[in-house]
Amino acid sequence: MDSFVILCFAVVNSIALLALISLGLAVIFGMMRVINFAHGEFIMLGGYATVIANHAGVNLWLSMLVVAPIFVALIGAVTERLIVRRLYGHLITTMLATWGLSLFLIGAVTAIFGNTTMGVSAPLGNIPIGAYSIGAYQLFLIGITALLVVSSLLALHWTKYGLIARAAMQNSEMAATLGINCDRVYAATFIVGAAISGLAGALLAPISGVLPHMGAAYVARAFVTVISGGGALITGFLSAATILGPVEALLSYFATPVIGQASLLLLAVIILRLFPTGVSSLWTGGR
Amino acid sequence: MVRQVEHALFPVALVLFAALGPFVLEPFDLVNLSAFSAMAIAALGLAFVWGTLGILNLGHSVFFGLGAYAYAIAVSNLGDSTLAVLIGIALAVAFSLVLGYFLFFSRLGDVYLGVITLCVTLIFYSFMMSTADPSFHIGPVPLGGFNGITAVPSLNMPGDPQVFLSTEATFSICLLSLAGAYVLLSLLRSSDAGRIMTAIRESELRSELLGYDIRFYKLVGFAVSAAIAGLGGALYTAVMGYVSPNVFDLPQASQFVLWVIAGGLGAFVGPVVASFGFQLLSSQLGANQVFNTELIFGATIILFVMLVPQGLQPMLLGLSSLKFPNRFGILRRKEKPA
């Protein structure tokens, strides 16, 4: 019974983790059709910002929830201005350029901080369940991920900004003729996406530690989730996370984490074989 | 006509170098150049599949790595390197067919292809990293996890496993293989099938309406590039004597892409020259520990993509509009959302 609860917890945790690491990417990809290959490094920078701010004496919660998102949002703003803005509409070029950026950031962080793991200890202690225990911080992660996803959904569908953003995303020319400054909407979207990625990295820092190459551990899963989710911005990636998360969690539990990740990719490839535009094409009609 | 001469000149130059190199170069340089040309062979595979067929494969290093690992495992099990090289090629091709089936028969767009292929190589990386336990072995060969497989036997005389080839002979074989891959891919590109592939790159819809099964041609092109990459990987392991999970990591994957972008998408000579140039450069920088390689690769990729998107060969020769129409277009094509 206890082990069953633990397993359920692992499944929910895995879904939440996938959702957390993909949300920033999903916002940028869903809105702008831009694949940000430096996504993993945005996560990594969020983690570093947290750890360094914390070591400098800033309160852990403050450095996670405020410092890291703002820092990565700034990086995102610079990236948007220098690279992404110049390449709108050139999907592949943007992807290659952000890939270059990804390597550049890994190299830069390695040069500055060295190739070692830095970390902060996870707050909040443990909650015992029978013979096992789960970290309260993990529960906090699940909660904040749910909060983030729900507020993104609400922001998109119930606010004026969300309406404008969806208009710019669905038909930018039409939106432009209606007086919407699409460039500004895109810039804002990219910055928001970067901030969310930074926040994800910050939240992960206490449980995983930070090192320059950590982005690679998340980026494959994040991409796969977003792509197999398809066109619908939030519901798409959320449903993909719900399908992929349990598979990864269960196989990681019964086999090894590597097999879990490999089967996640395999499943995603199969999903794309069945629904080439992602699972959300089931209810959006293949947009 | 000019183009035929140009095509013939490059392999002739390689063959001359293969014949004369051992007389003028130090053994250390010969080993280095052998390894460089093994990498250049793999780069040619990517130049073909991306430049001719328009398949954006960011995980080309998967096939290189599979060839490398297959060679290392097979040569120690069988004792004969010729068969091991062939097994390396065969494994890369087999994997490319399976992966390609899912990718092309799903009709995934360029961006999706790039993302999936890159993810595949990252998964291989973490898998090979997790094989440190002695229980991971094939025959007498432990996979070795982070350390990879060391002390891999080098090339031997075909048919006579007792006689190992000299550094000079290995150098010549690597350069001749490079010349061979170049000739093979050039012939394929100018064949009827190659023209269809070019047509598919220009417009999938039009090619399909003309009655060509684009999925089939993509799969074949993908497998050919995998075979070439597998050959490169096998030779690389034979020259270096070891293989580690790093063949699947991000810097490795980015190298191939960088060389092809830098050399010129759609060109063959450019990527080969770029691969030698960048390898020389990074071995110099690496030896002096001046800069971190990822920093350099990343910055160079950004610079090329943003400033010289057509690549060096077309830029230097001023060919971009004359002989390779729409080359610029491959990279800078405006796209509808995938």
Side-chain angles (χ1 to χ4, degrees), chain B residues 267-290:
Chain B
F268 282 167
V269 179
V272 172
V273 174
S275 91
F276 276 94
F278 279 106
Q279 287 182 91
L280 270 174
L281 199 68
S282 67
S283 70
Q284 292 297 320
L285 291 175
N288 300 326
Q289 293 287 329
V290 184

Short mmCIF file of all heavy atoms in Angstrom, two decimals, chain B residues 267-290:
data_model
loop_
_atom_site.label_atom_id
_atom_site.label_comp_id
_atom_site.label_asym_id
_atom_site.label_seq_id
_atom_site.Cartn_x
_atom_site.Cartn_y
_atom_site.Cartn_z
N ALA B 267 27.08 22.21 -50.71
CA ALA B 267 28.40 21.98 -51.26
C ALA B 267 29.02 20.75 -50.61
O ALA B 267 28.56 20.29 -49.57
CB ALA B 267 29.28 23.20 -51.01
N PHE B 268 30.04 20.19 -51.23
CA PHE B 268 30.76 19.06 -50.64
C PHE B 268 32.19 19.44 -50.26
O PHE B 268 32.68 19.05 -49.21
CB PHE B 268 30.81 17.87 -51.62
CG PHE B 268 29.53 17.09 -51.67
CD1 PHE B 268 29.30 16.17 -52.68
CD2 PHE B 268 28.54 17.27 -50.71
CE1 PHE B 268 28.13 15.44 -52.74
CE2 PHE B 268 27.35 16.55 -50.76
CZ PHE B 268 27.15 15.63 -51.77
N VAL B 269 32.86 20.18 -51.17
CA VAL B 269 34.26 20.51 -50.89
C VAL B 269 34.35 21.40 -49.64
O VAL B 269 35.17 21.18 -48.77
CB VAL B 269 34.90 21.22 -52.10
CG1 VAL B 269 36.34 21.60 -51.79
CG2 VAL B 269 34.85 20.32 -53.33
N GLY B 270 33.45 22.37 -49.59
CA GLY B 270 33.46 23.31 -48.47
C GLY B 270 33.39 22.63 -47.11
O GLY B 270 34.24 22.88 -46.24
N PRO B 271 32.40 21.74 -46.89
CA PRO B 271 32.33 21.07 -45.59
C PRO B 271 33.59 20.28 -45.24
O PRO B 271 34.01 20.26 -44.08
CB PRO B 271 31.12 20.15 -45.75
CG PRO B 271 30.24 20.86 -46.71
CD PRO B 271 31.18 21.52 -47.67
N VAL B 272 34.20 19.63 -46.26
CA VAL B 272 35.41 18.86 -45.97
C VAL B 272 36.53 19.80 -45.55
O VAL B 272 37.21 19.58 -44.54
CB VAL B 272 35.83 18.02 -47.20
CG1 VAL B 272 37.19 17.40 -46.97
CG2 VAL B 272 34.80 16.96 -47.50
N VAL B 273 36.70 20.87 -46.32
CA VAL B 273 37.75 21.84 -45.99
C VAL B 273 37.47 22.45 -44.62
O VAL B 273 38.36 22.57 -43.77
CB VAL B 273 37.84 22.93 -47.07
CG1 VAL B 273 38.81 24.02 -46.65
CG2 VAL B 273 38.25 22.32 -48.40
N ALA B 274 36.19 22.80 -44.38
CA ALA B 274 35.84 23.39 -43.09
C ALA B 274 36.12 22.42 -41.96
O ALA B 274 36.60 22.81 -40.89
CB ALA B 274 34.37 23.80 -43.08
N SER B 275 35.85 21.13 -42.19
CA SER B 275 36.07 20.17 -41.11
C SER B 275 37.55 20.08 -40.77
O SER B 275 37.92 20.06 -39.60
CB SER B 275 35.46 18.82 -41.47
OG SER B 275 36.39 18.01 -42.12
N PHE B 276 38.40 20.05 -41.81
CA PHE B 276 39.84 20.04 -41.52
C PHE B 276 40.26 21.32 -40.82
O PHE B 276 41.00 21.30 -39.83
CB PHE B 276 40.64 19.83 -42.81
CG PHE B 276 40.77 18.39 -43.20
CD1 PHE B 276 39.88 17.80 -44.07
CD2 PHE B 276 41.79 17.61 -42.67
CE1 PHE B 276 39.99 16.47 -44.42
CE2 PHE B 276 41.91 16.27 -43.01
CZ PHE B 276 41.00 15.70 -43.89
N GLY B 277 39.78 22.43 -41.33
CA GLY B 277 40.17 23.72 -40.76
C GLY B 277 39.79 23.84 -39.30
O GLY B 277 40.62 24.17 -38.45
N PHE B 278 38.52 23.52 -39.00
CA PHE B 278 38.06 23.68 -37.62
C PHE B 278 38.72 22.67 -36.69
O PHE B 278 38.98 22.97 -35.52
CB PHE B 278 36.54 23.54 -37.54
CG PHE B 278 35.81 24.81 -37.91
CD1 PHE B 278 35.16 24.93 -39.11
CD2 PHE B 278 35.82 25.89 -37.03
CE1 PHE B 278 34.50 26.11 -39.44
CE2 PHE B 278 35.17 27.06 -37.36
CZ PHE B 278 34.50 27.17 -38.57
N GLN B 279 39.00 21.45 -37.21
CA GLN B 279 39.65 20.47 -36.34
C GLN B 279 41.08 20.89 -36.02
O GLN B 279 41.54 20.74 -34.88
CB GLN B 279 39.63 19.09 -36.99
CG GLN B 279 38.25 18.47 -36.97
CD GLN B 279 38.25 17.08 -37.58
OE1 GLN B 279 38.43 16.09 -36.90
NE2 GLN B 279 38.04 17.01 -38.87
N LEU B 280 41.77 21.42 -37.04
CA LEU B 280 43.12 21.92 -36.79
C LEU B 280 43.09 23.01 -35.75
O LEU B 280 43.84 23.01 -34.77
CB LEU B 280 43.71 22.49 -38.10
CG LEU B 280 44.49 21.53 -38.97
CD1 LEU B 280 44.88 22.20 -40.27
CD2 LEU B 280 45.74 21.07 -38.22
N LEU B 281 42.13 23.94 -35.96
CA LEU B 281 41.99 25.06 -35.06
C LEU B 281 41.71 24.60 -33.63
O LEU B 281 42.36 25.01 -32.68
CB LEU B 281 40.86 25.96 -35.56
CG LEU B 281 40.81 27.38 -35.04
CD1 LEU B 281 41.99 28.15 -35.59
CD2 LEU B 281 39.51 28.04 -35.48
N SER B 282 40.72 23.66 -33.52
CA SER B 282 40.33 23.30 -32.15
C SER B 282 41.39 22.42 -31.51
O SER B 282 41.54 22.43 -30.29
CB SER B 282 38.95 22.65 -32.12
OG SER B 282 38.97 21.41 -32.75
N SER B 283 42.18 21.67 -32.31
CA SER B 283 43.25 20.90 -31.67
C SER B 283 44.35 21.85 -31.19
O SER B 283 44.95 21.63 -30.15
CB SER B 283 43.81 19.83 -32.61
OG SER B 283 44.54 20.43 -33.65
N GLN B 284 44.56 22.93 -31.94
CA GLN B 284 45.53 23.94 -31.47
C GLN B 284 45.04 24.60 -30.19
O GLN B 284 45.76 24.71 -29.21
CB GLN B 284 45.72 25.03 -32.55
CG GLN B 284 46.41 24.55 -33.80
CD GLN B 284 47.82 24.06 -33.53
OE1 GLN B 284 48.54 24.66 -32.73
NE2 GLN B 284 48.21 22.97 -34.15
N LEU B 285 43.77 25.04 -30.24
CA LEU B 285 43.22 25.72 -29.06
C LEU B 285 43.16 24.77 -27.88
O LEU B 285 43.47 25.14 -26.75
CB LEU B 285 41.81 26.24 -29.37
CG LEU B 285 41.73 27.39 -30.36
CD1 LEU B 285 40.28 27.71 -30.67
CD2 LEU B 285 42.44 28.61 -29.81
N GLY B 286 42.77 23.51 -28.16
CA GLY B 286 42.67 22.53 -27.08
C GLY B 286 44.03 22.27 -26.47
O GLY B 286 44.16 22.17 -25.24
N ALA B 287 45.07 22.21 -27.34
CA ALA B 287 46.41 21.93 -26.82
C ALA B 287 46.88 23.06 -25.92
O ALA B 287 47.54 22.84 -24.92
CB ALA B 287 47.38 21.74 -28.00
N ASN B 288 46.47 24.29 -26.27
CA ASN B 288 46.91 25.43 -25.46
C ASN B 288 45.95 25.75 -24.32
O ASN B 288 46.23 26.63 -23.52
CB ASN B 288 47.08 26.66 -26.34
CG ASN B 288 48.10 26.41 -27.42
OD1 ASN B 288 49.06 25.70 -27.21
ND2 ASN B 288 47.86 26.97 -28.59
N GLN B 289 44.82 25.05 -24.30
CA GLN B 289 43.82 25.29 -23.25
C GLN B 289 43.39 26.75 -23.18
O GLN B 289 43.15 27.29 -22.12
CB GLN B 289 44.38 24.87 -21.87
CG GLN B 289 44.62 23.38 -21.73
CD GLN B 289 43.36 22.59 -21.60
OE1 GLN B 289 42.37 23.06 -21.07
NE2 GLN B 289 43.34 21.38 -22.14
N VAL B 290 43.37 27.41 -24.34
CA VAL B 290 43.05 28.84 -24.32
C VAL B 290 41.57 29.05 -24.04
O VAL B 290 41.19 29.76 -23.13
CB VAL B 290 43.40 29.50 -25.68
CG1 VAL B 290 43.16 30.99 -25.59
CG2 VAL B 290 44.82 29.20 -26.04
#
